[in-house]
Amino acid sequence: VGCSPSSDGVDGGVGEFGPSSAETGALGSIARAHLAPARPEVTPLGALVSHRTSPGPQELAPVDVVVLPHPLAEFDDTALATLIRQGAPEIGSASVGQPNRGKLYNGVAMPEGPLWHLEEPENSWGTRETIESIQRAIARVEADHPGSPPLHIGHISRRTGGWLRPHRSHQSGRDVDLGYYYLEGPRWYAPATAENLDRARTWSLLMGLLTQGNVEYVFITRDVQSLLLEYARSQGVDEAWLSELFEAAAAPDGAAPTAGAPRSPTPRTSAPRSPAPRIKPSARAALPPGPEPVVRHRWGHHTHLHVRFYSDRACTTGQRTFHLLRKQGKL
Ligand SMILES: [Zn+2]
């Protein structure tokens, strides 16, 4: 169950478990604003987004964003210390430190369910947001494609987080390894190929994850990304959007967008689709770097995909409670 290390904050260098403020930085805001017009109501910290009356067809609708207070906002440190001492459920789950150097407090166990199979239930603990997001994404696959086989779920985190072999991340309840859907039925850790990948269901899974607005990134190897891109294009998914979303779609100038994979053979009766606008190398150099695609290539992720969630609520709880948890010997 190999996972590449996170590209962010590898062991930080700050000793202890520093607060993970960088986890919800500008990139996340951009990605979430772009991908999530309506965040589900189950995340209390989530933004309430309301659309005003629809403007012209080429304009983005303005949105009003209201951030709800964190559930612990009303408690000062003294009150928090008392709640922690009592083991009060109000604390909720806390993602402490970094995914590569962190802990999980009050984690939630991923339950067993008919739509998925846990490889190791003892290593399937996460923040409440992580656990709920996984379930919603898998439920979407079943809604889109009834009769789906159970999805294999690998490691999330240990009950109290921390080091979990063989990963560097998976320490703070915000990472999960999910299998792919295969045409020949459920399998775990099988290389996904053009012959066996159930593109439609895997695409639904990916959309079920990303549209919740709670995903920092997903690791999928470039070849598997190309298979999913091929499927998305056959469904008429917007090319510019795909280019922002998938590392494998953001091909260098002049290269085929899906090198190694044939373009979709979808018949088109209308005029040929105009290619995505390309930027000349000279112009590209002048542009500021854009946000990194959410779906990223990392070696080893042809047998499973790795999802990193933000878990805003649990991260803030971790920052608020870290010193108190340490003081009471609960970390
Ligand atoms: Zn992983």
Side-chain angles (χ1 to χ4, degrees), residues 1-4 155-156 167 169-170 175-178 219 301 304-307:
V1 190
C3 275
S4 300
H155 286 160
I156 305 176
H167 316 278
S169 62
H170 288 265
D175 300 277
V176 61
D177 291 336
L178 299 174
F219 290 158
H301 293 84
H304 67 287
L305 55 90
H306 173 109
V307 187

Side-chain angles (χ1 to χ4, degrees), residues 14-95:
V14 185
E16 302 288 18
F17 306 117
S20 53
S21 55
E23 301 297 332
T24 52
L27 173 59
S29 304
I30 292 166
R32 278 173 288 174
H34 185 67
L35 292 172
R39 245 183 120 146
E41 67 287 348
V42 291
T43 306
L45 192 63
L48 292 180
V49 179
S50 66
H51 292 267
R52 299 201 187 105
T53 52
S54 180
Q58 296 302 317
E59 297 174 32
L60 289 175
V63 294
D64 297 322
V65 177
V66 179
V67 178
L68 296 175
H70 188 270
L72 299 181
E74 61 183 286
F75 300 106
D76 62 16
D77 275 8
T78 308
L80 270 184
T82 304
L83 288 176
I84 291 170
R85 198 171 297 113
Q86 295 169 342
E90 287 93 326
I91 296 294
S93 47
S95 182

